[in-house]
Amino acid sequence: MDNKPLLGITMGDPAGIGPEIIVKALADPEVYGWCRPLVIGDIQAFKRALEYTGLTRMIVRTVEMPDEGSYTPGVVDLLPASSGSIPPVPLGTVTAAAGAAAYAAIIRSIDLGMDKLIDGVVTAPINKTSLHEAGVKHAGHTEIFSSATGAG
């Protein structure tokens, strides 16, 4: 049993810098000495981030539950935020699809935390305009969390 905290890392906006920041952070083996990082998001966004950053030696491995992760350097353990893949979103664009995907990752992380399947949540940058394009009424992470959990 590994006593390091199991952290859910939301992908942020898949058209933004979030996936790139995450794969660059996970390329450092030291991160795995501090925690067990579980990425929550869309596999295509992370495959693209690995290509874009040149970190093609790393692999993205999907899991269905947090306890299935290997949490080893070189492996991005990814729990899909939703049952389907998002449509391709061009980098640097504001789209409803990107906003919906970012929102789905945040909600999935909240659900995992509330069910005590992860120990904490780390959030990557979102695009609030994309969230609004997707019909999300909340201004950002804090308001989404408060609404989803009933916290004040």
Side-chain angles (χ1 to χ4, degrees):
M1 177 81 177
D2 193 333
N3 290 333
K4 292 179 284 217
L6 177 54
L7 300 178
I9 305 170
T10 63
M11 74 175 164
D13 189 312
I17 197 167
E20 180 182 345
I21 291 170
I22 293 167
V23 298
K24 284 182 176 181
L26 297 184
D28 183 348
E30 252 184 84
V31 169
Y32 296 84
W34 305 322
C35 68
R36 293 174 290 155
L38 175 67
V39 174
I40 302 166
D42 179 72
I43 190 167
Q44 296 308 319
F46 284 90
K47 286 183 177 181
R48 178 169 65 179
L50 290 175
E51 288 176 24
Y52 184 73
T53 58
L55 295 170
T56 54
R57 290 187 182 160
M58 294 177 71
I59 63 165
V60 180
R61 182 177 160 283
T62 58
V63 298
E64 291 187 26
M65 293 297 292
D67 63 358
E68 295 174 4
S70 68
Y71 307 113
T72 57
V75 177
V76 176
D77 289 299
L78 181 130
L79 191 136
S82 61
S83 59
S85 189
I86 64 169
V89 291
L91 290 174
T93 61
V94 172
T95 66
Y103 182 72
I106 295 166
I107 293 299
R108 187 75 191 263
S109 73
I110 292 168
D111 292 343
L112 292 167
M114 297 294 287
D115 290 342
K116 300 193 183 316
L117 296 173
I118 58 175
D119 299 310
V121 175
V122 178
T123 58
I126 56 174
N127 183 308
K128 293 177 182 183
T129 304
S130 289
L131 282 179
H132 291 277
E133 291 284 324
V136 177
K137 304 290 186 229
H138 308 294
H141 291 101
T142 304
E143 295 80 9
I144 294 168
F145 175 81
S146 294
S147 175
T149 63

